[in-house]
Amino acid sequence: MDIFNSNRKLEELVMFGIDWGIFLRHDMEGQIAPFMYLKNGDEEYVRMLMTDGDPLEYAKKVLAQEEKPFQQFIVGYEGYLSDDQKERVDTIIVHGFDVTQEKGVSLGQMFSPKENGAFKKIDRVTFLGNPDIIIPLQPNLNPDYSVEEIGFNAIALSDNETGLTKYVAILTHDSPTIIANTCKQFLRGKFSSEKAHELSGDFEVKITDNCIKNTELLSFLVTNAINEILTTDTITNWGDKYKRKASISATYNNEIIYESAIDVKPLVAASKKQEIDMSKLTTTELDQKFIEIINIPNARTNIEALTKMSELLKEYEKRGISTPDKRNPVKSGNTVEKKWWQFWK
């Protein structure tokens, strides 16, 4: 069953939405703000959905006033699903739609939140159904649902003394989600292949320079993709059988973003934070940073958050554009009070 109706563009955007929601939530002790991403070819736009009501209903109002063209869009927020014991479990929920298709797709990723002790994803992504599109359909007789394939190459290097094989993999793509998933599939395939006995356990993953805009998200996703593989029975059984250890590293822009450790735990914050030149970010990237900052717990008393927001607002002002929460506002008869996250006002 193809839950994405053969629409790979929509598939990429929805899976990114799940990753983005998990990334925002993993280090928070409170719910994330609902978000919406619009995609039109290579262009992406992020919109805040600051509402206490149904995010989908609010998204319909925002979309009715949207001035930017878009072909696909997702609405993501935090909710709940029931597990096998009928217990309520925290979940990142993402609904995705294409303007040319009557049906969209809804997915959920259950998790145990940080406030319960440590953040952890629970099970795999859950398919929640194919909902009707929430805006008027825009039929297209010849829609293009194809995507750019990832650039990938793996080089096998044989050790002259041991005869064992080491791999160096080179990847390039503009989506951190695609890169992380490819890493996971590549490693899983090698350790479960008929030639697994020939592996030394050494893998180098090289992500080509400047192909990714959000380095922090890339580091987070790659770290957890590799750690999830290292904690599977396949790797454990391989190590026990051949008395070898898996040693995996990943680099981006010639800097290490992952090195395997003896004790690995999926979903731990990745790599050290780097200083960002705001002037070099696109508007979409500025909006992404805006969302990250307003989701920082206890933002009013967080000096780092205040400093970052101050720098961000200066950049918005310099460019003569407003913050994402002020763009395309939904009109209402009620007076809008200052939100809790507007701590810089």
Side-chain angles (χ1 to χ4, degrees):
M1 176 183 177
D2 182 4
I3 64 173
F4 293 99
N5 300 314
S6 301
N7 191 330
R8 293 193 62 195
K9 286 184 177 178
L10 181 61
E11 179 181 357
E12 280 195 3
L13 187 58
V14 172
M15 297 310 298
F16 165 79
I18 290 290
D19 283 343
W20 179 247
I22 290 295
F23 172 64
L24 291 177
R25 186 61 166 92
H26 83 280
D27 199 32
M28 290 178 55
E29 295 184 355
Q31 291 194 354
I32 64 171
F35 60 87
M36 178 166 65
Y37 265 82
L38 312 175
K39 189 172 180 64
N40 186 54
D42 294 332
E43 298 294 326
E44 289 186 1
Y45 314 100
V46 63
R47 301 286 183 260
M48 297 299 300
L49 300 175
M50 303 310 299
T51 176
D52 295 328
D54 182 350
L56 275 178
E57 288 299 317
Y58 191 77
K60 289 169 63 175
K61 299 177 182 179
V62 174
L63 288 169
Q65 301 179 40
E66 179 59 51
E67 297 179 352
K68 297 287 188 179
F70 61 92
Q71 291 296 310
Q72 298 84 29
F73 66 95
I74 56 172
V75 178
Y77 56 90
E78 188 168 333
Y80 302 95
L81 290 178
S82 296
D83 61 14
D84 295 337
Q85 287 72 46
K86 306 301 181 183
E87 296 290 334
R88 195 171 73 163
V89 182
D90 297 278
T91 305
I92 298 297
I93 297 173
V94 174
H95 303 285
F97 303 92
D98 187 294
V99 298
T100 67
Q101 295 181 310
E102 295 182 353
K103 297 289 186 178
V105 63
S106 299
L107 300 180
Q109 174 64 69
M110 293 188 287
F111 64 89
S112 177
K114 179 181 179 180
E115 54 265 34
N116 286 356
F119 188 96
K120 181 180 180 181
K121 289 196 296 186
I122 300 175
D123 298 329
R124 296 183 178 181
V125 173
T126 302
F127 172 56
L128 303 178
N130 292 111
D132 294 331
I133 190 169
I134 63 174
I135 61 174
L137 189 67
Q138 300 175 28
N140 186 333
L141 295 178
N142 297 295
D144 179 11
Y145 300 144
S146 63
V147 297
E148 181 181 351
E149 299 295 338
I150 187 168
F152 177 82
N153 189 30
I155 304 170
L157 303 174
S158 180
D159 187 289
N160 292 330
E161 294 183 4
T162 64
L164 298 177
T165 303
K166 166 186 176 178
Y167 278 92
V168 177
I170 303 172
L171 302 87
T172 182
H173 200 275
D174 60 3
S175 169
T177 292
I178 299 299
I179 286 181
N181 287 340
T182 302
C183 287
K184 187 186 299 186
Q185 294 167 9
F186 170 64
L187 293 170
R188 182 189 291 120
K190 290 303 179 185
F191 279 106
S192 59
S193 73
E194 295 179 352
K195 295 185 177 181
H197 63 282
E198 299 177 0
L199 296 177
S200 67
D202 293 339
F203 288 81
E204 290 184 30
V205 177
K206 296 181 179 294
I207 304 164
T208 59
D209 294 357
N210 302 316
C211 65
I212 296 294
K213 298 175 181 177
N214 193 327
T215 306
E216 190 174 356
L217 177 61
L218 174 69
S219 299
F220 175 80
L221 295 182
V222 168
T223 291
N224 289 290
I226 297 175
N227 281 350
E228 286 175 7
I229 288 296
L230 289 177
T231 54
T232 61
D233 291 339
T234 298
I235 302 295
T236 301
N237 294 337
W238 174 86
D240 291 341
K241 183 176 181 178
Y242 300 111
K243 308 303 179 186
R244 301 171 199 153
K245 290 185 178 181
S247 177
I248 303 171
S249 66
T251 59
Y252 176 62
N253 284 346
N254 295 319
E255 293 187 4
I256 292 178
I257 60 173
Y258 179 88
E259 282 186 303
S260 57
I262 296 177
D263 297 316
V264 294
K265 296 180 180 179
L267 290 164
V268 174
S271 76
K272 62 181 181 180
K273 296 183 179 179
Q274 301 176 350
E275 292 297 324
I276 298 174
D277 185 350
M278 297 290 185
S279 65
K280 294 183 179 180
L281 299 181
T282 64
T283 300
T284 296
E285 292 166 351
L286 282 179
D287 291 345
Q288 289 175 341
K289 288 298 176 185
F290 182 89
I291 294 175
E292 291 177 33
I293 294 172
I294 68 171
N295 278 296
I296 294 175
N298 304 316
R300 287 190 181 92
T301 58
N302 188 313
I303 299 301
E304 183 180 4
L306 288 167
T307 302
K308 287 184 176 180
M309 183 57 78
S310 177
E311 294 174 355
L312 201 60
L313 292 177
K314 288 180 182 178
E315 186 61 31
Y316 277 115
E317 184 177 0
K318 184 187 301 181
R319 300 187 188 189
I321 57 177
S322 57
T323 53
D325 60 301
K326 292 182 179 179
R327 281 181 240 143
N328 303 309
V330 175
K331 296 180 180 179
S332 172
N334 299 325
T335 301
V336 179
E337 297 181 357
K338 185 175 74 173
K339 300 293 185 180
W340 65 266
W341 47 268
Q342 293 175 313
F343 54 86
W344 61 88
K345 292 187 174 182

